[in-house]
Every structure is written in C-alpha cells, then in structure tokens.
Amino acid sequence: MPKVLVLYKTPKSAEAFDKHYMNVHVPLAKKIPGLKSYDISRGPVNGPAGPTNLHLVATLVFDSMQALQAGMGSAEGKAAAGDLPNFADGGVDLYIFDNQDV
C-alpha cells in the first residue's frame, strides 16, 4: 500500500502547532479522496540515541499509487499541502513510497 510519510520538525511553539494541526490540518487531510488511513505519532519522537528534532510523524495510506497521486493532486490534497506553512514553521519533510510485506 502506498504511503505518504510526513516528518514535522520541532516548531517554534509546540502548543500552537498542536492546536492548528488537530483543529485545522487533520480535518483538511481527512478529506483527501482515496485516503484509507491516517495516523500520527504520540509523545516524543526518539531515535536510538535519544531525542530527535522531530515533533510529529504522520502516515497517510492509500490503496494504490494512482489513488495517492490523484488524492494529493485533488483540490483537497492541495488544500492540505497549502496549509503546511500555516503551522509547520520548524520545517517538514514528505516521503512518498510504495511498500511490500516481507
């Protein structure tokens, strides 16, 4: 199942980020056509050596790469992407990939 992995770096204000993310961005993203599931990290995002510069990790799942591309290219996908500058002032990295079970 194709996925979009979103890595949000530590914002200037975690409280402002969290409020906007949950109240504005999540409802926008949940409207993306073809979105099968959407989950986010809870609590600190750590690596093997301890804390990272990440505040939150989100994973969006689609049935096919075509569905992912159509959803992200839709008006709703563009609205969600256009919202990023409104709260992700620490920076954000997006990764798009397909996966397979092993």
Side-chain angles (χ1 to χ4, degrees):
M1 297 185 100
K3 297 180 181 181
V4 178
L5 180 66
V6 188
L7 306 176
Y8 294 98
K9 296 177 183 161
T10 303
K12 293 176 186 170
S13 168
E15 182 179 334
F17 175 101
D18 293 344
K19 182 177 178 181
H20 185 97
Y21 188 83
M22 294 307 293
N23 294 324
V24 177
H25 193 71
V26 167
L28 284 173
K30 283 189 164 191
K31 292 179 183 176
I32 297 173
L35 181 65
K36 298 307 284 183
S37 68
Y38 177 14
D39 62 61
I40 63 171
S41 59
R42 182 174 59 185
V45 179
N46 294 311
T52 67
N53 70 337
L54 297 177
H55 178 69
L56 186 131
V57 176
T59 308
L60 291 79
V61 179
F62 295 81
D63 278 334
S64 68
M65 191 57 76
Q66 294 80 12
L68 184 155
Q69 291 168 340
M72 297 305 282
S74 69
E76 295 86 351
K78 290 176 183 176
D83 185 47
L84 293 173
N86 297 327
F87 68 97
D89 57 16
V92 59
D93 293 323
L94 282 85
Y95 299 93
I96 297 171
F97 60 93
D98 205 348
N99 69 330
Q100 69 181 41
D101 290 330
V102 294

